[in-house]
Amino acid sequence: MNYKLTIIFFLKVLHLSMGIDYDGWLNIKMEHSLNCENGKYCNRGTISIKSIRTGTSVIDQITFGRTHIDELKELAEMDGFYSIRTICTSADNKETEFLSSVKAQDFLNSGLSDVISAWVLPSGAVMAINFQVDNSSQALVLGSNNYKIHSNFYLRYVEQAPVPDTASYIQKLEREREAREKGELKDNRSFLAKYWMYIVPIAIFVMISGATNPEQAPQGAR
Amino acid sequence: MGVLSTSIKPNFLGLLKFLNSFNWFIVFFSLINLSVCIYEDQIGKFDWRQTYVGRIKFSQFDTVSTAKKIIVATEENVLAALNLKTGQVVWRHVLESASTGNIQLLHVTDKVVTVSGANPYLVRGWDSTTGVLLWEWSLMLQKDDHAEFSEWWVQHGMLVHMLPVFGSHLEVSMYNLMTGQNRGSTSKLPAIWTNEGCVLSPPYYSCISGSMGSLLLLSLDVTSNAVQIISKPLSQFISTEESSLRPLDANSIQPGFVIGDKKIVLIKNNEFEMLGISVADESASVALVDSTNGPMVLQTWTDDIKGFSLIAHSASTGKEVTEVRCSDPSLRLPEPELAAVICSKTPRELHACRLLVTAADDSLHLMQQAGRVLWTREEALANVVAVEFVDLPVSDLDAAIESEFDQKEAAKMYSSVWAAFSRRLQTQFQQLQTLLQSLQGAETNARDTSTGLVRDYFNLHKIIVLVTDVGKIFGMDNLSGAILWQHYEPSLDPSGAAVFTRRSARHPPHDAYLTIVGKHEETGNGLIISLNPIRGTLVGERSLQLDVQLLQCALLHRADQEKLHALLLLDRDENVQIFPVSAAPLVENMFIYVAEKNTARVQGYALKYDGRSVVAQKTWSLSLGGSEAGHRIVASSAKPASERTHSAGRVLGDRSVLYKYTNPNLVLFVTEGPDAIHKDVVVATCVDAVSGAVIASAAVRRARALPLAVHSDNFLAYVYYNDKHRRTEIGTMELYEGKQRWLEAGAAFSSLRASRAPAVYRAAYVLPAAPRAAAVTHTERSLTDKHVLFALSTGAIVELPWAYLEPRRPVTPTPEHREEGLIPYAPELPLPAEAVINYNRTLHRVSAIYTAPSGLESTSLVLATGLDLFYTRVAPSKTFDLLKDDFDYYLITLVLGALLLATYSTKYFASRKMLKMAWK
């Protein structure tokens, strides 16, 4: 069998390892409804993740044959969806089923490349697995019998929401208080920046009086 | 110069920025000064409040005090006094909404006595004129196994509590009403003949007991010292074996009951006495009241043909009392029940009665003996489930003008210039005619009510359609709060009902069209009610009961030929129904999502017309709580369907633009569930409802979610209770595309072709109050600032600018932040008293706040529902497009006139001077 390995490293270790309380492996089984002999869904491949925290994944997918492409084209003609069912198994042996779809036409146009993102809750459970079409790829070159699926897998974490930041606010207040105790902050703005609101009206006044004067001025000269 | 240019900006934030560049303390104080509050003389000008008490449970006339009142206790755990003449609330006490506030007994003498709660019970005495609490004592039952069957009444200044243990015995205790001292110990009366069908008619406890064929009617005076059971075979009273007991209504003066909905039996001197008066209708409410000529039996019911009926008989003679009689086909009271009756003696020996009648639609009516309704209270409005603001139709003349300038219409009809010209003349002639008519007299217009309901210039006048829990639908004038029409649908279960305006009133000659999708009360199947929201008449599908349960309903975004938006219904078997069926070919690019509340699973469907019918294909499914059980969706919030965002981004301090991520398909889900380490977690997830993609998310540990979430434009907020710090907090998010636009301006956004993730800003703030409802103001073009409205448990509605909730508030502001007008971060949100939009009008138990745009960009209409209704309008950025209320028209006319005068006089003087100069 001609299996292809795609490995994508996704490292944001420092930040993300703080958000996840739990570490373990994940196994995502992908099924689609193309070229299935019996039953609605048949195998498309698997994604296995050794550690949720590091997010290292191994994608193992079938290649599309001519029949797959023909069926996909059929779907695309009627503006249909190419649906992928995923079954996610984790270390505590619970199976969760997800469904996601992309427009068949878009999938063909992108040359069978998609972006798979799995969202992981802080408890380590998978909340969603989304398939989206990669916009950047080029179109499929037809005629061959083996088409690779280019999948990019990202493990995304439900980040911890910030809490009301009282500590830094109090610190800030204390800093301000200290500064006030030390004496007035030195105002190091320029003279113009400090007193522009006095200067501008005077300037306007001068300009207005200057605008009314010109007729008188020549009279004075005479 | 940069500072100057921003200061000139007309809006409020511009002013803020200007001030901010000096000192943000000034900003803080200026905000307080600029916050929304009204002047004393504006009270009631733009707002109204209606107070309700809920469905009546107990009621009694207060005849002792000088100001005649009706004291009521309701299902909403409210104790109130109503003015006998007007029906207005004199005083009102709102008790706890849980079972601790449940009112078990109302007894009115010179004082009002209530028993409330559920083990411990609280016995309270209230002053009937002022409603002041006079005394209170509590009562704790040792065993509360059967406490829900407890019966309470007052007898000779003693509070009697009876606890029946069916098929075994009765436990009777008596307490001093004022002090709570127990007279003796609890007495146990053996009563193996009791069952759940027994009724109490103090002090007698009556049952029908025995085996079939030899049924006995048994009664026992539970307060007497000697146990004396009155027992008679049931066949003496009634022939049929099918029998039921029900007590007499309206605090009857003698113990008695109705057997088998046919015969009235009284208990006199420890003997049964059957009255010769038969019950007129099976559903009739029967009451025994005191009158000048001895006790009188009143009966009332609603007949299908005759309508509301009322008859009275003398209890002693069985003769009909002719003065008290009513049969009114126009009065439709569903299942009327006599709540309280008082008949006073008039000098001429006539019966002058006041009847308080409640109906199945929760309405309360006070009637005279002849059936004339003195006042009506629509207590259904204490439980509003869904609200929709409906635009009024334009007047005929405006409609003619609109159709004249409508591009498509114009192209069709006036191909030549001459046709258009004649049309113009015609319209102007019409205008002249109406002008003359209005000069002739406004009374002609006022007579026809439908002409009064036309759109005003700023579209501030609307109709509010309210769907209530009992199934009654109201149309209300938003300016006055008057009920324009009502429609009672007894089979409607409106929990989770959706209201859609399928056609607005701006498409003459077609009328407005509104559809309510609810459930059938018994079967749970879908129930659709379509009506004209202006007149309240049923139209189109009328009241249509479906034969399946519904999962989801939506409105088709494209209107058909008659400008009607079709209704799409997804039923439990994932079939799609569409109303009207003729609109099926219009279904294209339509997506629906279904969220299961208890399992936190969300599924998306794509709807498509396949040439014959509309089919739904499941395209995505998520499990927001992961695989673990126990996660549930607490709140979900999509953007308002009518929202249009006309501001694409925010200008930053460095003059670059931060573009908003305004995905119209974004839905916020707030889920809550148990966690192994952190007890409870709250997860807020933004899901694109078309593609099923998760856009952003945030998890809060050790918190419990409140069912409050707001979502508008590019921001969203959710409220949770932080268990660790024991306080309510609000989490906010803002989504931005970044400094560059993803799509060209004006290009259509497609959820299915978007793989880029927006930048998410998050923050959390402490909300120093307990919120009950939240909403965000809604204006026509979303150019005005957004404010968030919080209804607090204190009864206030607070208006909070989004600028305070913004996640981008910096802890240490840089000059650029100041320039942009960002308020420096403070963990606690200010809730100043000036921001309370309902000033001193406390609102009890606010359940929801609804906002709607008006024709003025500055103004948003607000309706708060709950026990009370409160309507007002808010202007988040002040009324920049409207002259102030106190605008001095006199002064400006005076000044203009004076200036004009001065101009001409100076001209005259100048010419004179010139003449003089010339002569020199």
Side-chain angles (χ1 to χ4, degrees):
Chain A
M1 298 301 263
N2 188 8
Y3 283 112
K4 264 289 175 189
L5 293 173
T6 315
I7 303 167
I8 287 150
F9 292 99
F10 191 77
L11 291 171
K12 254 172 109 185
V13 177
L14 188 78
H15 181 71
L16 295 171
S17 57
M18 281 162 66
I20 293 283
D21 307 324
Y22 169 88
D23 199 5
W25 55 266
L26 268 183
N27 198 15
I28 299 166
K29 203 167 115 191
M30 292 181 283
E31 289 178 339
H32 63 177
S33 53
L34 290 184
N35 194 23
C36 293
E37 281 138 21
N38 49 355
K40 216 182 157 199
Y41 289 97
C42 54
N43 182 41
R44 180 182 134 167
T46 52
I47 305 169
S48 43
I49 299 124
K50 286 232 170 66
S51 156
I52 295 176
R53 221 169 255 191
T54 55
T56 320
S57 63
V58 180
I59 307 178
D60 179 8
Q61 288 189 110
I62 60 160
T63 53
F64 272 22
R66 188 162 309 216
T67 44
H68 286 108
I69 297 293
D70 287 346
E71 265 189 58
L72 210 53
K73 273 185 181 161
E74 238 173 71
L75 270 175
E77 258 169 44
M78 48 197 268
D79 194 26
F81 284 96
Y82 166 62
S83 299
I84 308 106
R85 189 172 74 168
T86 44
I87 295 158
C88 182
T89 324
S90 63
D92 38 359
N93 214 7
K94 275 178 201 151
E95 283 195 352
T96 329
E97 195 185 300
F98 301 97
L99 186 72
S100 190
S101 304
V102 293
K103 283 256 176 179
Q105 185 63 53
D106 294 346
F107 192 48
L108 274 176
N109 288 350
S110 68
L112 304 186
S113 44
D114 51 15
V115 178
I116 310 165
S117 37
W119 285 81
V120 183
L121 286 168
S123 63
V126 177
M127 175 171 80
I129 297 175
N130 302 133
F131 283 73
Q132 277 165 321
V133 169
D134 197 350
N135 290 343
S136 54
S137 306
Q138 64 267 53
L140 204 65
V141 187
L142 293 173
S144 110
N145 206 4
N146 279 328
Y147 301 92
K148 278 184 279 181
I149 314 173
H150 309 282
S151 293
N152 286 346
F153 179 77
Y154 297 103
L155 204 58
R156 303 184 66 174
Y157 307 92
V158 174
E159 283 172 52
Q160 205 188 333
V163 288
D165 194 0
T166 33
S168 62
Y169 181 68
I170 291 166
Q171 272 175 12
K172 188 190 139 195
L173 286 187
E174 269 177 12
R175 246 182 288 133
E176 270 174 19
R177 204 195 60 213
E178 273 168 25
R180 219 172 300 134
E181 277 167 6
K182 269 184 200 166
E184 279 299 307
L185 281 167
K186 211 183 162 205
D187 198 347
N188 49 6
R189 287 180 295 176
S190 72
F191 177 78
L192 217 64
K194 243 186 274 181
Y195 302 112
W196 66 267
M197 68 282 224
Y198 305 113
I199 297 164
V200 167
I202 294 167
I204 291 170
F205 181 74
V206 169
M207 273 158 70
I208 290 168
S209 55
T212 48
N213 276 346
E215 279 171 52
Q216 281 180 1
Q219 271 180 0
R222 188 166 50 135
Chain B
M1 260 342 251
V3 183
L4 197 64
S5 71
T6 46
S7 71
I8 287 162
K9 260 193 195 168
N11 65 1
F12 163 60
L13 269 174
L15 182 69
L16 259 188
K17 281 171 202 166
F18 162 64
L19 288 168
N20 214 344
S21 57
F22 295 107
N23 193 337
W24 71 271
F25 279 111
I26 304 172
V27 175
F28 186 72
F29 290 113
S30 71
L31 267 175
I32 287 177
N33 293 333
L34 287 167
S35 54
V36 244
C37 49
I38 56 171
Y39 294 102
E40 198 175 353
D41 61 332
Q42 287 179 313
I43 286 177
K45 198 166 182 186
F46 309 116
D47 58 74
W48 47 259
R49 179 182 70 161
Q50 296 178 356
T51 47
Y52 291 96
V53 293
R55 183 177 171 78
I56 306 296
K57 202 167 168 186
F58 305 109
S59 56
Q60 233 170 315
F61 285 92
D62 170 27
T63 51
V64 182
S65 47
T66 45
K68 294 270 189 299
K69 287 188 293 290
I70 305 168
I71 312 289
V72 293
T74 69
E75 307 272 356
E76 298 294 315
N77 303 346
V78 174
L79 179 71
L82 305 177
N83 188 318
L84 188 66
K85 290 212 173 78
T86 61
Q88 302 279 349
V89 175
V90 181
W91 52 261
R92 183 176 68 161
H93 289 290
V94 182
L95 307 182
E96 301 92 326
S97 55
S99 67
T100 49
N102 199 355
I103 298 173
Q104 315 270 354
L105 171 75
L106 174 76
H107 179 79
V108 181
T109 48
D110 55 334
K111 288 180 187 63
V112 179
V113 178
T114 59
V115 176
S116 60
N119 210 18
Y121 296 93
L122 288 171
V123 184
R124 286 166 171 151
W126 315 81
D127 186 80
S128 65
T129 39
T130 58
V132 170
L133 181 69
L134 299 173
W135 43 262
E136 179 188 84
W137 54 271
S138 71
L139 192 157
M140 181 86 182
L141 296 182
Q142 297 300 319
K143 288 185 292 181
D144 60 349
D145 311 340
H146 304 276
E148 68 265 33
F149 299 110
S150 288
E151 300 277 5
W152 303 83
W153 70 95
V154 177
Q155 196 173 9
H156 309 305
M158 302 294 278
L159 176 73
V160 188
H161 172 234
M162 186 190 72
L163 189 70
V165 180
F166 297 125
S168 167
H169 61 274
L170 306 170
E171 286 174 24
V172 182
S173 333
M174 289 167 95
Y175 306 88
N176 186 313
L177 191 60
M178 307 277 276
T179 60
Q181 257 175 345
N182 200 338
R183 187 182 71 169
S185 59
T186 302
S187 54
K188 278 191 183 175
L189 309 175
I192 48 165
W193 39 271
T194 52
N195 53 48
E196 283 175 30
C198 293
V199 294
L200 176 83
S201 43
Y204 289 92
Y205 194 62
S206 313
C207 295
I208 292 174
S209 184
S211 57
M212 284 302 274
S214 60
L215 285 172
L216 284 173
L217 180 67
L218 298 139
S219 271
L220 172 67
D221 180 353
V222 293
T223 53
S224 75
N225 292 326
V227 179
Q228 271 187 309
I229 299 175
I230 326 164
S231 152
K232 282 267 177 76
L234 189 66
S235 49
Q236 281 194 3
F237 304 101
I238 193 162
S239 52
T240 53
E241 281 297 291
E242 187 211 339
S243 59
S244 63
L245 278 182
R246 69 182 159 100
L248 298 177
D249 295 320
N251 319 309
S252 291
I253 50 162
Q254 272 181 37
F257 39 83
V258 179
I259 307 177
D261 293 332
K262 284 191 178 68
K263 297 285 177 195
I264 305 161
V265 173
L266 301 182
I267 305 168
K268 253 187 195 168
N269 308 325
N270 258 346
E271 279 298 322
F272 289 127
E273 186 191 303
M274 190 167 76
L275 293 182
I277 310 149
S278 58
V279 178
D281 188 90
E282 278 203 355
S283 63
S285 164
V286 184
L288 189 68
V289 293
D290 210 359
S291 75
T292 36
N293 311 331
M296 187 164 69
V297 177
L298 280 175
Q299 295 183 44
T300 177
W301 70 97
T302 288
D303 194 284
D304 288 339
I305 306 144
K306 287 190 213 154
F308 177 76
S309 306
L310 168 76
I311 53 165
H313 294 89
S314 166
S316 47
T317 60
K319 260 199 242 164
E320 196 177 325
V321 182
T322 47
E323 294 102 324
V324 188
R325 183 179 178 84
C326 168
S327 178
D328 189 351
S330 63
L331 195 62
R332 288 271 162 202
L333 301 184
E335 300 168 43
E337 193 181 309
L338 291 162
V341 180
I342 188 165
C343 283
S344 57
K345 299 171 179 82
T346 57
R348 282 182 292 158
E349 293 276 306
L350 285 170
H351 295 277
C353 293
R354 291 285 182 274
L355 297 90
L356 190 69
V357 180
T358 59
D361 60 357
D362 285 6
S363 59
L364 182 67
H365 310 266
L366 186 76
M367 291 182 180
Q368 276 184 335
Q369 63 273 22
R372 195 168 76 86
V373 177
L374 297 175
W375 50 258
T376 297
R377 287 181 67 86
E378 294 294 348
E379 291 302 338
L381 288 169
N383 272 313
V384 175
V385 181
V387 167
E388 179 87 359
F389 284 80
V390 183
D391 289 354
L392 286 168
V394 291
S395 61
D396 293 343
L397 189 71
D398 290 344
I401 295 168
E402 248 173 57
S403 71
E404 188 185 341
F405 290 104
D406 189 10
Q407 298 284 314
K408 278 184 209 160
E409 288 271 299
K412 239 186 279 168
M413 285 179 78
Y414 322 115
S415 41
S416 77
V417 181
W418 293 110
F421 180 64
S422 73
R423 171 74 184 222
R424 187 86 278 270
L425 284 181
Q426 213 178 327
T427 335
Q428 264 165 355
F429 177 67
Q430 271 177 9
Q431 272 171 317
L432 193 70
Q433 252 180 339
T434 40
L435 186 76
L436 287 175
Q437 265 174 14
S438 66
L439 285 175
Q440 271 171 11
E443 302 97 57
T444 44
N445 266 3
R447 221 180 295 151
D448 190 6
T449 48
S450 63
T451 52
L453 286 175
V454 288
R455 185 183 307 205
D456 59 344
Y457 193 67
F458 294 132
N459 200 7
L460 289 167
H461 192 186
K462 296 197 180 207
I463 281 183
I464 309 171
V465 177
L466 301 117
V467 183
T468 59
D469 193 36
V470 75
K472 202 166 186 182
I473 304 153
F474 292 91
M476 199 180 259
D477 188 318
N478 74 330
L479 297 184
S480 64
I483 293 169
L484 299 172
W485 53 264
Q486 45 185 280
H487 176 80
Y488 178 53
E489 196 73 42
S491 53
L492 175 69
D493 171 12
S495 56
V499 186
F500 299 105
T501 306
R502 288 171 61 188
R503 182 166 58 207
S504 69
R506 64 178 69 179
H507 303 292
H510 304 297
D511 280 335
Y513 197 114
L514 181 115
T515 297
I516 297 154
V517 183
K519 278 187 287 192
H520 191 270
E521 193 159 54
E522 281 153 29
T523 56
N525 291 345
L527 183 69
I528 302 169
I529 299 160
S530 294
L531 36 80
N532 178 335
I534 314 297
R535 294 195 184 82
T537 48
L538 290 176
V539 289
E541 293 104 33
R542 305 180 73 83
S543 177
L544 180 74
Q545 199 198 325
L546 304 175
D547 46 5
V548 280
Q549 295 193 3
L550 297 181
L551 275 182
Q552 184 62 285
C553 52
L555 208 60
L556 193 64
H557 48 92
R558 277 163 70 187
D560 66 1
Q561 298 244 305
E562 292 181 330
K563 308 280 185 227
L564 186 72
H565 291 267
L567 185 71
L568 286 163
L569 303 168
L570 183 72
D571 64 30
R572 223 163 57 165
D573 310 321
E574 299 185 2
N575 294 323
V576 181
Q577 297 192 35
I578 181 162
F579 295 99
V581 182
S582 60
L586 294 174
V587 178
E588 197 191 350
N589 284 334
M590 185 73 199
F591 299 87
I592 273 182
Y593 71 93
V594 179
E596 272 176 64
K597 210 170 176 174
N598 294 322
T599 56
R601 275 197 81 83
V602 190
Q603 290 169 341
Y605 297 85
L607 305 191
K608 220 169 121 183
Y609 179 64
D610 67 353
R612 289 189 310 277
S613 60
V614 181
V615 287
Q617 188 199 352
K618 196 157 120 183
T619 53
W620 55 268
S621 83
L622 310 175
S623 173
L624 294 176
S627 53
E628 284 126 286
H631 283 261
R632 58 188 195 94
I633 298 173
V634 181
S636 80
S637 174
K639 283 179 194 176
S642 58
E643 191 178 80
R644 307 272 177 280
T645 305
H646 283 248
S647 51
R650 289 197 54 153
V651 182
L652 301 183
D654 60 357
R655 297 292 178 277
S656 62
V657 178
L658 190 59
Y659 286 100
K660 292 176 183 172
Y661 176 79
T662 48
N663 180 351
N665 309 319
L666 205 64
V667 183
L668 167 71
F669 291 103
V670 183
T671 55
E672 174 193 75
D675 190 86
I677 309 161
H678 303 291
K679 229 166 122 185
D680 293 299
V681 284
V682 173
V683 183
T685 317
C686 300
V687 178
D688 188 309
V690 169
S691 66
V694 176
I695 304 294
S697 64
V700 189
R701 289 159 174 179
R702 282 198 73 176
R704 275 171 294 140
L706 298 180
L708 307 176
V710 292
H711 183 183
S712 178
D713 211 358
N714 70 325
F715 63 83
L716 26 97
Y718 52 94
V719 184
Y720 56 90
Y721 181 78
N722 192 324
D723 263 342
K724 196 172 161 195
H725 297 290
R726 292 173 191 272
R727 63 189 181 196
T728 313
E729 294 178 358
I730 180 163
T732 60
M733 281 196 236
E734 274 189 334
L735 307 172
Y736 287 99
E737 288 185 356
K739 298 224 172 154
Q740 248 142 30
R741 274 197 165 179
W742 294 357
L743 298 163
E744 293 289 302
F749 176 86
S750 169
S751 289
L752 293 166
R753 292 192 179 87
S755 60
R756 290 175 72 174
V760 186
Y761 292 85
R762 296 185 186 87
Y765 297 95
V766 179
L767 194 64
R772 290 190 60 102
V776 62
T777 59
H778 188 180
T779 55
E780 198 163 73
R781 283 158 208 279
S782 298
L783 289 170
T784 309
D785 288 348
K786 292 277 183 180
H787 285 193
V788 181
L789 302 165
F790 287 107
L792 308 180
S793 55
T794 56
I797 296 179
V798 179
E799 191 178 356
L800 194 67
W802 179 258
Y804 279 112
L805 290 167
E806 202 165 51
R808 293 177 58 242
R809 283 174 70 176
V811 178
T812 43
T814 60
E816 270 183 9
H817 286 139
R818 289 203 185 113
E819 177 118 0
E820 198 196 329
L822 289 177
I823 305 164
Y825 185 86
E828 192 168 288
L829 293 172
L831 298 177
E834 293 92 339
V836 176
I837 58 169
N838 55 336
Y839 42 103
N840 64 352
R841 295 187 167 180
T842 307
L843 304 176
H844 288 286
R845 292 197 204 142
V846 178
S847 59
I849 303 176
Y850 300 90
T851 56
S854 71
L856 282 173
E857 173 55 29
S858 66
T859 309
S860 177
L861 310 177
V862 177
L863 178 79
T865 62
L867 194 58
D868 302 329
L869 293 182
F870 179 77
Y871 165 85
T872 190
R873 52 195 231 205
V874 291
S877 300
K878 313 285 278 178
T879 47
F880 56 81
D881 48 5
L882 204 63
L883 285 179
K884 281 221 176 74
D885 260 0
D886 51 354
F887 184 78
D888 210 335
Y889 293 94
Y890 270 120
L891 187 74
I892 200 149
T893 332
L894 216 73
V895 168
L896 267 177
L899 279 174
L900 219 68
L901 207 76
T903 319
Y904 279 98
S905 56
T906 44
K907 208 174 171 185
Y908 168 70
F909 285 121
S911 65
R912 261 182 61 173
K913 198 180 171 190
M914 289 290 280
L915 198 66
K916 275 183 184 171
M917 291 272 281
W919 276 106
K920 260 180 195 173

